[in-house]
């Protein structure tokens, strides 16, 4: 199978690209390198011992997209490309809607023209907003609380309308919970630019000494220890979820829209994550409790049973693997891929 991976130079895209290549698929990565560099793909190429087909381009540029689809005959598309910082999306909503929604529309139009109708889309648990009931099932109301989440919800709606209009489309919207960890080689991983927004990259940068102290955003939530609870999922498990979704869609007798949670079903608090990381590295992580971060919810964790039932996929890696692999990546690459630039 020849699979187009948009955003394949990024964190989740690079891990998925590697797994697709490992199982024998042909992959073309399309990425504008807005939040990544080609070093991730060079590393993937070294791990698989094969060259990677990479096209630098932007989903916003319809000419580039048209050229891409004229050049190759893809069987399916795994669509990671998008902007993902919640705070930035509040400050720059137009940029987020333009990049994420318009970029996806451009992609879908080219796919339609080329008669390629199988798509895996990176959605997010952010679409649930502040969930009313836990664990969160796919039936829970979609109520995003920021432009980033709105852009994901809008794309999901567009994809649903598309499937209604034409029964040949096979689409999976994968709602990721909190991706963490790295490839066990420590060769590829998450490389946030600037100060990390997410918990685990921040914790691991405190561990290497790049940052002084972690701010824990609030210890007065209605959770067992007062700190926020999330469903952290190892990026290797997440990548495998994409392969399972591609297989599922390929085996459907006709068109299909699948909306599915990819999480572990287990929530961990911020303090539990710190403790697990301290255990892994054998030294304390310096942190202080500060006020709540605006827009944060107390708890969010998945009911992952639909993924297990339909995709025969279940997260296999626990918190220990998440910490060990995060640490291997971070300690081998304290400045991420920039070390080499
Ligand atoms: P990432 O930033 O590492 O990867 C996204 C890639 O897309 C980057 O390489 C970036 O350069 C590229 N890109 C962005 N806009 C583009 C455009 N217009 N044209 C071409 N390339 C473009 O992010 P990630 O963590 O790997 O996330 C991948 C996807 O998963 C995103 O859509 C994100 O919203 C979604 N997601 C991520 C998380 C998370 O916490 N990491 C959680 C839920 C959902
Ligand atoms: N968090 C924190 N300090 C940080 C970053 C995150 O205390 O520097 C907390 C945050 O409040 C939330 C959890 O860690 O409870 C996960 O946050 P993250 O940004 O990683 O994911 P998301 O908010 O998108 O679920």
């Amino acid at each position: 199978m020849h699979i187009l991976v948009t955003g394949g130079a990024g964190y989740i895209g690079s891990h998925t690209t590697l797994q697709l290549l490992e199982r024998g698929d042909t992959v073309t990565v399309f990425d504008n390198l807005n939040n990544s560099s080609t070093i991730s793909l060079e590393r993937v190429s070294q791990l698989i011992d094969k060259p990677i087909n990479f096209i630098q381009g932007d989903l916003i540029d319809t000419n580039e997209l048209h050229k891409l689809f004229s050049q190759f005959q893809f069987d399916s598309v795994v669509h990671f490309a998008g902007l993902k910082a919640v705070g930035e999306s509040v400050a720059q909503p137009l940029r987020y809607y333009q990049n994420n929604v318009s970029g996806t529309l451009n992609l879908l139009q080219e796919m339609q023209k080329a008669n390629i109708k199988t798509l895996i889309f990176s959605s997010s648990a952010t679409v649930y907003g502040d969930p009313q009931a836990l664990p969160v099932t796919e039936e829970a109301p979609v109520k995003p609380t920021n432009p980033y989440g709105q852009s994901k919800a809008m794309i999901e709606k567009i994809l649903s309308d598309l499937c209604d209009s034409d029964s040949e489309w096979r689409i999976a919207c994968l709602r990721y919970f909190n991706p963490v960890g790295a490839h066990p080689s420590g060769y590829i991983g998450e490389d946030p630019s600037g100060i990390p927004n997410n918990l685990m990259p921040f914790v691991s940068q405190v561990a290497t000494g790049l940052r002084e102290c972690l701010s824990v955003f609030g210890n007065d939530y209605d959770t067992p220890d007062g700190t926020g609870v999330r469903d952290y999922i190892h990026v290797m498990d997440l990548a495998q979820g994409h392969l399972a979704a591609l297989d599922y869609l390929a085996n459907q007798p006709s068109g299909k829209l699948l909306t599915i949670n990819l999480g572990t079903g287990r929530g961990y608090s911020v303090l539990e994550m710190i403790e697990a990381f301290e255990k892994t590295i054998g030294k304390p992580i310096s942190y202080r409790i500060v006020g709540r971060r605006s827009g944060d919810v107390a708890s969010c964790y998945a009911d992952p049973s639909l993924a297990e039932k339909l995709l025969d996929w279940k997260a296999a890696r626990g918190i220990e693997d998440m910490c060990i692999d995060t640490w291997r990546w971070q300690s081998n690459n304290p400045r991420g891929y920039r070390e080499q630039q």
Side-chain angles (χ1 to χ4, degrees), residues 6-14 30-37 40 57-61 64 79-85 98-100 103 121-126 148 151-152 174-180 189-191 198 235 238 242:
T6 75
Y11 173 42
I12 307 167
S14 55
F30 182 81
D31 198 304
N32 65 2
L33 303 180
N34 164 284
N35 194 37
S36 52
S37 80
S40 61
D58 197 315
L59 290 175
I60 293 306
D61 187 331
E64 278 174 5
H79 176 35
F80 293 104
L83 297 173
K84 63 167 185 177
Q98 164 84 351
N99 191 78
N100 293 1
F121 169 60
S122 300
S123 189
S124 169
T126 310
Y148 165 67
S151 77
K152 294 291 180 191
L174 305 182
R175 294 177 176 165
Y176 314 155
F177 280 68
N178 289 58
V180 295
E190 185 170 15
D191 182 19
N198 294 116
V235 68
L238 193 62
H242 292 72

Side-chain angles (χ1 to χ4, degrees), residues 11-332:
Y11 173 42
I12 307 167
S14 55
H15 289 78
T16 307
T17 294
L18 177 62
Q19 290 190 11
L20 288 168
L21 290 167
E22 277 172 346
R23 77 170 188 180
D25 286 316
T26 302
V27 173
T28 295
V29 169
F30 182 81
D31 198 304
N32 65 2
L33 303 180
N34 164 284
N35 194 37
S36 52
S37 80
T38 52
I39 300 171
S40 61
L41 295 177
E42 284 162 23
R43 300 259 183 110
V44 170
S45 171
Q46 283 161 16
L47 285 169
I48 190 79
D49 200 17
K50 273 187 203 162
I52 305 266
N53 191 18
F54 170 62
I55 311 279
Q56 184 168 353
D58 197 315
L59 290 175
I60 293 306
D61 187 331
T62 49
N63 291 328
E64 278 174 5
L65 267 183
H66 188 66
K67 211 169 114 198
L68 176 75
F69 279 84
S70 319
Q71 210 177 337
F72 301 103
Q73 181 57 51
F74 302 114
D75 296 293
S76 49
V77 178
V78 183
H79 176 35
F80 293 104
L83 297 173
K84 63 167 185 177
V86 169
E88 198 179 60
S89 81
V90 174
Q92 303 172 24
L94 298 184
R95 177 165 168 244
Y96 269 68
Y97 290 123
Q98 164 84 351
N99 191 78
N100 293 1
V101 182
S102 302
T104 303
L105 279 173
N106 292 343
L107 175 69
L108 293 170
Q109 275 155 358
E110 280 309 319
M111 287 178 70
Q112 193 165 48
K113 277 190 234 158
N115 203 30
I116 299 155
K117 295 185 175 173
T118 302
L119 174 79
I120 309 284
F121 169 60
S122 300
S123 189
S124 169
T126 310
V127 299
Y128 296 118
D130 192 356
Q132 298 304 298
L134 293 167
V136 187
T137 70
E138 291 81 359
E139 305 302 316
V142 168
K143 282 188 176 169
T145 56
N146 55 67
Y148 165 67
Q150 278 291 2
S151 77
K152 294 291 180 191
M154 284 177 181
I155 296 166
E156 284 197 1
K157 178 70 180 119
I158 291 167
L159 295 175
S160 156
D161 290 345
L162 186 59
C163 286
D164 286 347
S165 76
D166 175 352
S167 62
E168 286 180 1
W169 281 91
R170 292 154 195 257
I171 297 180
C173 296
L174 305 182
R175 294 177 176 165
Y176 314 155
F177 280 68
N178 289 58
V180 295
H183 188 267
S185 63
Y187 224 50
I188 55 171
E190 185 170 15
D191 182 19
S193 53
I195 302 169
N197 290 311
N198 294 116
L199 177 66
M200 285 305 270
F202 205 111
V203 168
S204 54
Q205 291 192 4
V206 172
T208 59
L210 197 64
R211 315 258 158 226
E212 220 167 273
C213 179
L214 169 78
S215 296
V216 174
F217 299 137
N219 66 351
D220 56 352
Y221 285 106
D222 185 15
T223 61
D225 65 21
T227 64
V229 169
R230 297 290 183 276
D231 185 339
Y232 297 92
I233 174 168
H234 197 296
V235 68
M236 294 292 290
D237 282 330
L238 193 62
Q240 268 156 7
H242 292 72
L243 275 55
L246 276 170
D247 291 343
Y248 173 84
L249 291 179
N251 289 326
Q252 293 309 300
S254 59
K256 181 91 191 167
L257 174 70
L258 176 72
T259 303
I260 211 150
N261 288 338
L262 293 186
T264 66
R266 165 79 157 90
Y268 286 99
S269 74
V270 176
L271 294 182
E272 283 176 314
M273 292 306 281
I274 296 172
E275 199 184 319
F277 203 81
E278 288 176 332
K279 210 169 137 204
T280 297
I281 66 170
K283 61 176 185 185
I285 294 288
S286 159
Y287 72 87
R288 61 169 179 268
I289 308 289
V290 301
R292 292 182 179 193
R293 179 171 69 178
S294 128
D296 271 357
V297 303
S299 293
C300 186
Y301 51 92
D303 176 341
S305 55
L306 190 63
E308 187 171 0
K309 187 171 143 211
L310 296 184
L311 307 183
D312 196 21
W313 170 93
K314 196 174 169 201
R317 295 158 181 87
I319 187 171
E320 204 179 316
D321 291 318
M322 297 181 204
C323 293
I324 290 171
D325 292 334
T326 299
W327 181 232
R328 193 180 295 107
W329 154 253
Q330 188 68 45
S331 50
N332 290 348

